Amino acid sequence: MGQEAEWAAAVREWRSLLGREHVATAAEEGDRIAQGTFPGGARPRCVLLPGHRDEVAACLRVAHRRQLSVHPVSTGRNWGYGSTGPRPGEAALLCLSRLDRVVDLDEELGVATVQPGVTFGSLARYLAGAGSSRWPPATGAGADTSVVGNILQRGLGTGAYRDMAAQVRALELVLPDGSLVGTRAPGPVGDGAEEGPGPSVNGLFLQGGPAVVTSVAMALHPVPQWHQRVLFGLRTGSLAAVVDEARDLLQRIPAGLTLDLRNRPRIAAQWPARAAAAPSPPPQLPKVLDGDWTGCAELWADSAALLEATRDRVLARMSAHAEHWHLQAPLPGAPPGGGSGGLACAYRHKPAGVRSGPSPDPGRDGCGVLWFAPVLPMRGVKAAEAVRVIERAMVAHGMEPCLALRLGARVLHCVAGLFWDRDDAAAESRAMACHRRLAADCARLGAYPYRPLLARVEAQSVDGSVRDLLARLRQAVDPHGVLPHPHGAGIP
């Protein structure tokens, strides 16, 4: 049977399994479902919408038997990294948005088990409705994005959820042949959603591992008693010194504090939250936000005295390098969630700004968004050098150099955003050329993105021996290549 006949037969089987209303062909849904924020993604052959784990397994068994490719997504809102559409090649889109239950909440141990269709907003509402004392996770991408999707892509959350993947306790998986796997330990210890003894396997299934994740048991942190935000404008030329100060501070105070730096173009791109395209004249920013770089410290603690002590340490370490300060008054509870304000930058160059009405959707609304997010060591001189290289490339291609630095104890994530109007073909061409140059220039510095673009990891960003090991593991689990391979076509 030829490839076309295999696809036609598979669609008939999938419709028999899921019902015709939950299987759409490319002609029916392909253009809408594959809407992205930059060119490069492909239209899927068809769209599968299973409603529970067993249907996911049945869909994969069909693909495995017929040796067809399947591209799984959670809610399809991976804007700026690939959105919904699969990378070029023939594939069915396996959309898991109908798996939208909070399966379990263990309030005592602080563990929630969520399916891929659970969004940050729906999890927050669930916790509030359950009277939970747990802190809902949040990101800057808005309340309608998938918790599981963000975790699997090693997303960066807010507050105690800075490292979303670190919250994973256990996974429920469907392998490419339809086999079911759970990484939770057996017996009472499994109530804490821990893996059993032996090698940890959870990490094998992040960022494109050879399985479909149908639920994640994740740690939830308690709501703190107090929180506070401190903003400070950096003195010109002090970026390297602030990175070094932050490194020592974060190593000594690992909990209750996050530190970010944003340059002026990045702040202006979100000011105000519903700004229309490229405001002219430039927005009038408060003095603390109007310098080359602004620092933001988020603090939380379970006593006013501990909060004050942490704040005073931040002020003491940064005082020599800051010239403007804004201290929000301490407030009870956890810092507010990310909301959708972070999406304002995506609409920076759309004439009407952020749409009113339905939730923002940059892919649907024709926004150009492309992220370049290399990981850098927390060494001030190296970080400042990389920032100069990135800003120079962006300006050379006519793009606003919108940068945010998410600081850590040992590494930082430099998140550079390319924003344009997808109706402007020239701007789109500049953005794509700029992204290629950023990748090449940063590779020469040994800096590589921490998240794959269109589910593909650059070859040089992973040690060759590790790539070989992962290829051998994948060959054993997915011999027919049913699921996308993030490490490139050169590996089986």
Side-chain angles (χ1 to χ4, degrees):
M1 185 182 293
Q3 191 78 349
E4 285 298 323
E6 291 285 1
W7 277 109
V11 168
R12 289 194 295 271
E13 286 193 69
W14 285 325
R15 283 180 166 165
S16 175
L17 291 167
L18 306 181
R20 196 185 192 289
E21 68 275 20
H22 297 309
V23 180
T25 64
E28 296 165 330
E29 290 286 338
D31 287 334
R32 182 189 66 80
I33 204 74
Q35 288 171 335
T37 61
F38 61 89
R43 296 171 77 246
R45 288 295 301 244
C46 58
V47 181
L48 312 177
L49 289 159
H52 52 77
R53 182 194 64 183
D54 292 344
E55 289 184 346
V56 173
C59 288
L60 289 178
R61 282 194 290 270
V62 172
H64 178 77
R65 187 176 70 253
R66 296 187 177 278
Q67 300 186 29
L68 302 175
S69 294
V70 171
H71 179 79
V73 299
S74 297
T75 59
R77 295 183 172 93
N78 193 24
W79 299 306
Y81 293 104
S83 300
T84 299
R87 70 188 191 196
E90 298 285 300
L93 188 71
L94 185 68
C95 183
L96 305 176
S97 59
R98 292 179 62 220
L99 280 72
D100 59 359
R101 290 193 307 120
V102 178
V103 178
D104 182 62
L105 171 63
D106 190 319
E107 181 70 17
E108 290 182 334
L109 296 179
V111 177
T113 302
V114 297
Q115 294 182 327
V118 174
T119 64
F120 287 96
S122 63
L123 178 56
R125 290 189 293 273
Y126 179 93
L127 294 175
S132 174
S133 63
R134 297 290 164 174
W135 182 354
T139 75
D144 294 325
T145 54
S146 166
V147 176
V148 170
N150 188 271
I151 286 173
L152 296 180
Q153 288 300 315
R154 296 200 182 104
L156 301 175
T158 60
Y161 300 96
R162 169 75 98 190
D163 182 353
M164 286 293 293
Q167 316 310 318
V168 172
R169 313 305 293 166
L171 303 175
E172 179 186 80
L173 310 162
V174 182
L175 299 182
D177 64 358
S179 303
L180 304 178
V181 176
T183 67
R184 189 191 302 258
V189 73
D191 291 343
E194 289 281 1
E195 292 184 87
S200 173
V201 299
N202 286 335
L204 292 173
F205 300 98
L206 303 181
Q207 291 194 342
V212 175
V213 177
T214 51
S215 73
V216 172
M218 66 176 297
L220 294 179
H221 298 268
V223 173
Q225 295 294 313
W226 295 96
H227 74 271
Q228 185 175 20
R229 173 177 291 179
V230 175
L231 300 176
F232 52 98
L234 276 61
R235 298 183 188 276
T236 300
S238 65
L239 178 63
V242 168
V243 169
D244 287 335
E245 293 282 8
R247 179 188 66 237
D248 188 61
L249 186 61
L250 290 167
Q251 287 182 10
R252 294 175 183 274
I253 309 178
L257 172 66
T258 61
L259 281 166
D260 295 329
L261 303 175
R262 294 177 177 84
N263 67 359
R264 193 185 191 285
R266 184 70 174 85
I267 291 172
Q270 290 181 228
W271 187 276
R274 297 180 62 79
S280 181
Q284 295 299 308
L285 300 176
K287 187 171 290 186
V288 71
L289 302 176
D290 204 26
D292 293 339
W293 287 88
T294 297
C296 177
E298 289 278 6
L299 304 89
W300 61 96
D302 281 334
S303 74
L306 182 56
L307 186 77
E308 181 180 3
T310 304
R311 182 197 64 214
D312 288 349
R313 292 187 72 173
V314 172
L315 298 180
R317 297 303 295 264
M318 298 300 169
S319 59
H321 313 294
E323 53 187 353
H324 301 294
W325 293 88
H326 174 73
L327 277 65
Q328 178 193 63
L331 295 171
S340 59
L343 293 177
C345 56
Y347 292 81
R348 172 75 163 161
H349 299 281
K350 295 300 290 184
V354 181
R355 275 191 187 182
S356 59
S359 300
D361 184 334
R364 175 200 65 200
D365 297 338
C367 300
V369 182
L370 186 55
W371 298 107
F372 180 75
V375 180
L376 306 169
M378 277 290 286
R379 294 189 176 96
V381 172
K382 292 292 186 182
E385 178 188 11
V387 165
R388 286 193 296 271
V389 167
I390 292 169
E391 289 182 328
R392 184 165 58 242
M394 295 176 78
V395 170
H397 286 272
M399 309 300 294
E400 289 180 295
C402 297
L403 272 66
L405 306 182
R406 310 293 293 274
L407 307 183
R410 291 167 182 83
V411 299
L412 67 85
H413 296 82
C414 175
V415 184
L418 304 173
F419 310 118
W420 71 97
D421 184 346
R422 292 211 66 189
D423 294 330
D424 184 342
E428 183 146 291
S429 178
R430 291 197 308 273
M432 300 307 293
C434 181
H435 196 275
R436 290 191 293 271
R437 175 170 169 179
L438 287 172
D441 288 355
C442 285
R444 283 191 284 272
L445 299 177
Y448 303 100
Y450 83 100
R451 285 177 72 168
L453 198 67
L454 284 173
R456 183 159 186 167
V457 175
E458 295 301 320
Q460 63 269 38
S461 64
V462 180
D463 182 82
S465 62
V466 173
R467 287 170 57 83
D468 181 64
L469 173 61
L470 293 176
R472 291 159 67 185
L473 292 172
R474 179 173 288 271
Q475 180 63 26
V477 176
D478 188 12
H480 300 320
V482 171
L483 296 176
H485 195 315
H487 293 282
I491 294 178

